[in-house]
Amino acid sequence: MPQRDAPPRWDRRMQQRLARGEAAALGELYDRFASLVHGLAHRVVGEEHAADAITRDVFAHLWQHPDSYDPGEGPLRSWLAALTNRLAVQRLRTTETAALARGGHGTTEDLERKLRHASVAARADYIVQSMPAPLRAALELAYFQRRDYHQTATDLGVTDDEARRRLRLGLQLLATAHDAETPGAPPGIGGAA
């Protein structure tokens, strides 16, 4: 059975293949990351058609500008999430600003609040999807199934201390969802161009 490359090496090789114009590389990336990109876009814009368009835009950008991703800055997955977030927030800002200009309800402050909320929610979704399975399982038991740390430990077959450690680390990771300085700023991992 072939051993799977570690993500940084795989990311670097994919970026090089894209830079050479290998369409198969784009197909592999799409197969691997399209559901992540679409899910994050949908979380921000809340509309299927717009999420589809953003997904196309993200992969088109990667195809047209493969050098905009620098493997030395972080994983490709994170870079794609940052780019998706930026494009989705831009689209939401454009559509909501146009709605306000046409006499829609709300104010620009409401719009900024909505953008901030959508961006943080998308970051939180990405963080949960990306965290190691043991941390995600502990959080799901504790928060979605309302288990305390002792019940979580029992369900996971770990010690109480290990369950507390997993919950603490998972919550610390989730707390970073609020770290974006501005509503349109990328998550701060990788370098969305």
Side-chain angles (χ1 to χ4, degrees):
M1 172 180 247
Q3 188 176 18
R4 192 172 173 166
D5 287 340
R9 185 173 177 198
W10 184 88
D11 292 353
R12 187 173 307 281
R13 192 168 57 238
M14 291 306 283
Q15 190 274 336
Q16 291 167 347
R17 289 176 63 197
L18 286 170
R20 288 192 303 261
E22 290 185 33
L26 183 65
E28 288 176 42
L29 287 170
Y30 186 86
D31 290 345
R32 189 170 186 168
F33 296 118
S35 62
L36 168 74
V37 169
H38 187 274
L40 292 173
H42 193 275
R43 179 74 166 141
V44 173
V45 297
E47 201 265 321
E48 191 71 24
H49 180 71
D52 290 344
I54 292 165
T55 301
R56 284 190 304 273
D57 291 348
V58 166
F59 287 98
H61 176 83
L62 184 58
W63 177 248
Q64 295 166 355
H65 308 285
D67 292 334
S68 62
Y69 166 65
D70 178 3
E73 301 254 339
L76 181 57
R77 176 184 179 94
S78 297
W79 183 86
L80 285 169
L83 179 60
T84 301
N85 183 61
R86 185 171 58 95
L87 294 178
V89 168
Q90 284 175 352
R91 177 171 288 234
L92 185 61
R93 181 184 306 277
T94 300
T95 57
E96 293 292 322
T97 300
L100 283 176
R102 289 190 307 268
H105 301 327
T107 64
T108 56
E109 291 81 20
D110 294 336
L111 171 59
E112 290 304 314
R113 206 171 12 264
K114 182 176 183 176
L115 291 169
R116 227 178 349 271
H117 175 72
S119 186
V120 168
R123 275 183 58 87
D125 283 351
Y126 172 73
I127 290 167
V128 169
Q129 290 175 17
S130 299
M131 71 176 48
L135 299 182
R136 188 173 51 249
L139 286 175
E140 287 172 353
L141 285 168
Y143 292 95
F144 296 122
Q145 296 182 25
R146 305 280 189 214
R147 304 269 203 263
D148 65 23
Y149 75 90
H150 180 72
Q151 293 167 323
T152 298
T154 301
D155 289 350
L156 293 175
V158 298
T159 65
D160 287 358
D161 286 340
E162 177 62 15
R164 280 193 293 264
R165 186 190 68 75
R166 290 179 185 183
L167 290 169
R168 188 178 322 102
L169 185 53
L171 290 173
Q172 287 170 341
L173 288 171
L174 269 176
T176 65
H178 292 281
D179 288 346
E181 310 82 40
T182 61
I189 305 170

